[in-house]
Amino acid sequence: MLKDEHQALQLAFNGLQEQYRTIQMENRELVERWMKQKALDADRLNEENEIVLKQNRIKLQKELDEAARDPVVVDAPCQSPVGSLSQFTLPSQALMKFDAHDGEVQAVKWGPKGHLIATGGADRKVKLWEVVKGSVEQRGILRGSNAAITSVDFDSDEEHVLGTSNDFASRVWTVSDQRLRHTLTGHSGRVLAAKFLGESSKVVSGSHDRTLKIWDLRSLACIRTVFTGSSCNDVVTDRPGSTIISGHFDKRIRFWDTRKESTANEVVLQGKVTSLDISPDGCYLLSCVRDNTLKLLDLRMNQVIGTFYAEGFWVAFDWTRAVFTPDGQYVSVGSQDGTVFIWNVSDPTRIKTLKEHTHAVAACSWQCTGSSLVSCDRNKQVVVWSAG
């Protein structure tokens, strides 16, 4: 009796095994069919995207051709990169030199009110420095980052400091009490640049993960992610915050309209783009390129209209920052050998050099009055330059 029961159970078990093998085969077939269908859908989507991209290019070319045939009337403020500051004297000497961090100083920014400087270092700290009557005093240390700081920025009212880090995050601190207010996480790679987007309640960040993210600080949420196709080394915005411009590892500058879900226009250069800066009048874009040049673009045409270079000028980092002076008449950048170069926008052959750093300069920033310049290097040091 037990033998008969065992045989019956064995037969039932064999039947179930056969059913299991059949179901496994059917499952594999379904997965293969599903994968093939997904591949077909992806190919179809790529074809549709290519068609839309071609249509946009044709439309853009048509608009450019029509614009080229029409007479263009340009308002006076945008007729040249030269601004309105009449009493502008270039700095000629180092007013102050001090060790700012325990490691490399990778970022520096002068506050919009002209007395406060923010620096970011490989020691994971953002530091605030107050410049008063020819001396500098440490105002505070902003903590919270878990890796090196890659960029710093102030909001327009100098109430908040924005810092990006190699720990895949951006952070916002208040200047008055040096407290960490917001930590913006969501990127899957180091964040190399971020800017306030028109107002202090919005931020745009660019990352090595090939995305831009727009953040709403009121809801502490990412409200938009843009896939750029290449690692983003720097990002800037216009004053209203309607346009975002990003510079990339793949030698391209891309333009994004925050009001539309549209494909970016782009300009291709001859090397990796390390930094971007918009002129005070909003009509020109300065880019630092790893081919050891600075490029000046006219934003009305999205075309390169000028190149700045010099013997001995070498771009040291993928995050080397070049900037306009507050009047837009000059551009400045640091070099591999520690020299700070300043070019006249109207006459690029007129070059001024400042020598005090002994190591590669990563970034520089101008005081709002244009009377002083601050620069930082990979050997802990920050130099404040003055006309004397």
Side-chain angles (χ1 to χ4, degrees):
M1 182 176 175
L2 289 174
K3 186 176 179 180
D4 292 341
E5 187 176 349
H6 173 73
Q7 288 177 344
L9 290 172
Q10 187 66 43
L11 289 172
F13 175 73
N14 292 339
L16 290 172
Q17 271 195 323
E18 184 63 30
Q19 289 180 16
Y20 176 70
R21 283 194 291 269
T22 303
I23 291 172
Q24 274 192 318
M25 291 178 60
E26 291 177 352
N27 182 62
R28 281 196 294 269
E29 290 176 358
L30 285 173
V31 171
E32 290 175 0
R33 287 165 55 192
W34 180 74
M35 292 297 293
K36 289 180 181 179
Q37 186 61 44
K38 292 290 288 183
L40 291 173
D41 291 342
D43 291 340
R44 190 179 302 112
L45 181 61
N46 289 335
E47 290 176 1
E48 292 175 356
N49 288 340
E50 187 64 27
I51 292 172
V52 172
L53 186 59
K54 287 182 180 179
Q55 291 174 342
N56 288 340
R57 287 174 178 168
I58 293 172
K59 181 181 177 181
L60 177 61
Q61 188 60 49
K62 183 178 178 181
E63 291 174 353
L64 288 173
D65 292 341
E66 292 176 353
R69 289 194 295 269
D70 295 335
V72 178
V73 179
V74 181
D75 294 336
C78 284
Q79 289 180 349
S80 75
V82 178
S84 59
L85 296 182
S86 57
Q87 302 297 324
F88 184 86
T89 305
L90 289 178
S92 57
Q93 64 182 18
L95 179 64
M96 289 170 282
K97 182 178 179 180
F98 58 95
D99 290 351
H101 291 265
D102 295 330
E104 297 181 14
V105 189
Q106 301 191 148
V108 64
K109 184 74 173 182
W110 213 308
K113 295 182 180 179
H115 297 294
L116 209 58
I117 295 172
T119 59
D123 59 2
R124 303 178 298 176
K125 301 171 185 173
V126 174
K127 293 187 178 182
L128 299 179
W129 309 87
E130 188 167 16
V131 180
V132 180
K133 297 180 180 179
S135 64
V136 61
E137 295 181 3
Q138 185 173 296
R139 172 86 173 270
I141 300 178
L142 311 181
R143 307 177 190 274
S145 177
N146 299 308
I149 302 297
T150 54
S151 74
V152 290
D153 189 35
F154 285 95
D155 68 346
S156 58
D157 297 323
E158 203 175 278
E159 294 178 353
H160 299 87
V161 175
L162 170 64
T164 61
S165 173
N166 283 337
D167 66 359
F168 305 176
S170 304
R171 292 173 175 83
V172 178
W173 295 266
T174 44
V175 173
S176 58
D177 56 9
Q178 290 104 50
R179 291 183 59 186
L180 177 62
R181 297 296 179 178
H182 310 293
T183 299
L184 309 175
T185 58
H187 284 291
S188 60
R190 63 183 186 269
V191 185
L192 300 173
K195 295 289 191 304
F196 287 101
L197 188 56
E199 52 185 299
S200 59
S201 62
K202 286 186 179 180
V203 165
V204 58
S205 58
S207 171
H208 190 262
D209 67 4
R210 304 181 182 183
T211 67
L212 299 176
K213 287 183 179 291
I214 299 176
W215 309 85
D216 187 335
L217 300 184
R218 290 166 295 195
S219 61
L220 293 180
C222 174
I223 58 176
R224 183 180 176 188
T225 297
V226 178
F227 296 93
T228 63
S230 176
S231 172
C232 177
N233 289 334
D234 200 10
V235 61
V236 293
T237 69
D238 60 2
R239 285 193 185 93
S242 59
T243 301
I244 298 171
I245 309 173
S246 52
H248 295 271
F249 183 87
D250 66 356
K251 308 178 183 180
R252 286 170 166 78
I253 298 173
R254 294 179 169 90
F255 301 81
W256 313 87
D257 191 334
T258 59
R259 300 162 297 185
K260 301 177 182 177
E261 297 287 341
S262 58
T263 305
N265 299 321
E266 60 183 39
V267 174
V268 182
L269 302 180
Q270 301 302 311
K272 290 181 287 187
V273 180
T274 73
S275 77
L276 301 171
D277 192 35
I278 296 180
S279 62
D281 60 17
C283 297
Y284 300 89
L285 179 71
L286 177 69
S287 63
C288 182
V289 189
R290 285 302 312 246
D291 65 356
N292 301 314
T293 65
L294 304 184
K295 299 293 185 182
L296 183 67
L297 285 77
D298 189 325
L299 292 177
R300 296 162 295 177
M301 301 180 292
N302 285 357
Q303 292 182 355
V304 176
I305 61 171
T307 300
F308 305 95
Y309 60 91
E311 183 178 354
F313 171 57
W314 294 86
V315 178
F317 309 104
D318 283 350
W319 58 89
T320 296
R321 309 301 190 193
V323 290
F324 280 101
T325 53
D327 64 353
Q329 296 185 41
Y330 301 90
V331 295
S332 61
V333 69
S335 179
Q336 171 74 48
D337 65 355
T339 303
V340 177
F341 285 81
I342 303 175
W343 284 270
N344 186 303
V345 171
S346 301
D347 184 3
T349 62
R350 294 170 59 188
I351 305 170
K352 185 179 182 65
T353 57
L354 303 174
K355 298 180 182 290
E356 185 67 30
H357 291 282
T358 57
H359 292 74
V361 175
C364 54
S365 180
W366 289 90
Q367 190 182 33
C368 59
T369 61
S371 60
S372 297
L373 172 71
V374 62
S375 54
C376 64
D377 67 31
R378 68 184 310 169
N379 190 39
K380 308 180 183 180
Q381 291 194 326
V382 169
V383 177
V384 178
W385 306 86
S386 175

